[in-house]
Amino acid sequence: DNDRKSSYGATPTDNNKIERNTINENSSVGFSAQIIFPVYTTEYGQAYLGGGPSITYSTGKYSTDEHRVSQSGGTSSASSSNNDKGYHAGVLIIGGIKAFITNNINMFAETHLNGGIMWQKSEWSSRSIDNSGFEQISNSSEEGDGWFYDATFIRLGVSLSF
């Protein structure tokens, strides 16, 4: 999450004072289950491949509010927001190597390839009022589905087993 508030003062070439508030929130939750197959094993480590299904739900919100006051006393304001929701269902493929530190501790490096189908809905809204009091409001939404692909090229970590 990222919340930010900023104010800009008047400069000799700018007769306006601007105050802007911005909120950016993103969250995601997912589930995946993989079957891992050792490809090559030595006393020092192991190379492996694996794969399985993955499901993810994500949501995001971005909004900004802006208020302007000119030196002459006129004011104007504008606000906009964007809300996204998405679902991803696909297959996750993993390839990696791990080094045996002890019987219960391993260091690993692996790559993830994920692909499948997605469904997404986005909604936008904006509102503005100029210094004469004229107000303009706009709302729109969009739904869609399609295919997705993403990759994590290298993921490093330590695994513990009990």
Side-chain angles (χ1 to χ4, degrees):
D1 293 351
N2 181 17
D3 296 346
R4 183 175 41 201
K5 181 176 182 177
S6 55
S7 295
Y8 303 95
T11 63
T13 58
D14 183 5
N15 294 328
N16 295 325
K17 180 180 180 189
I18 303 170
E19 185 176 291
R20 183 176 296 129
N21 298 314
T22 302
I23 297 173
N24 188 7
E25 301 172 345
N26 297 293
S27 62
S28 179
V29 63
F31 171 79
S32 63
Q34 296 91 37
I35 297 175
I36 305 292
F37 298 101
V39 176
Y40 181 75
T41 303
T42 70
E43 64 184 274
Y44 303 108
Q46 183 179 75
Y48 56 90
L49 292 174
S54 68
I55 299 170
T56 305
Y57 169 74
S58 60
T59 181
K61 178 180 180 179
Y62 176 81
S63 65
T64 184
D65 294 312
E66 185 175 287
H67 186 71
R68 294 176 182 249
V69 179
S70 68
Q71 270 186 334
S72 62
T75 63
S76 64
S77 63
S79 63
S80 63
S81 67
N82 181 21
N83 294 306
D84 293 322
K85 294 179 183 174
Y87 301 90
H88 295 79
V91 175
L92 176 66
I93 298 172
I94 297 174
I97 57 172
K98 62 181 169 183
F100 303 137
I101 309 267
T102 68
N103 287 339
N104 299 336
I105 301 173
N106 302 310
M107 289 182 61
F108 66 87
E110 61 188 23
T111 184
H112 291 197
L113 305 173
N114 196 7
I117 191 165
M118 68 177 188
W119 301 269
Q120 185 168 336
K121 180 176 182 178
S122 297
E123 296 174 339
W124 300 274
S125 64
S126 65
R127 178 178 181 248
S128 63
I129 302 172
D130 65 15
N131 58 6
S132 69
F134 177 74
E135 182 176 16
Q136 183 175 3
I137 298 173
S138 173
N139 295 305
S140 63
S141 67
E142 181 179 279
E143 292 186 36
D145 57 12
W147 296 98
F148 77 94
Y149 165 80
D150 63 56
T152 303
F153 290 104
I154 293 208
R155 185 176 120 171
L156 303 172
V158 175
S159 65
L160 305 172
S161 58
F162 300 102

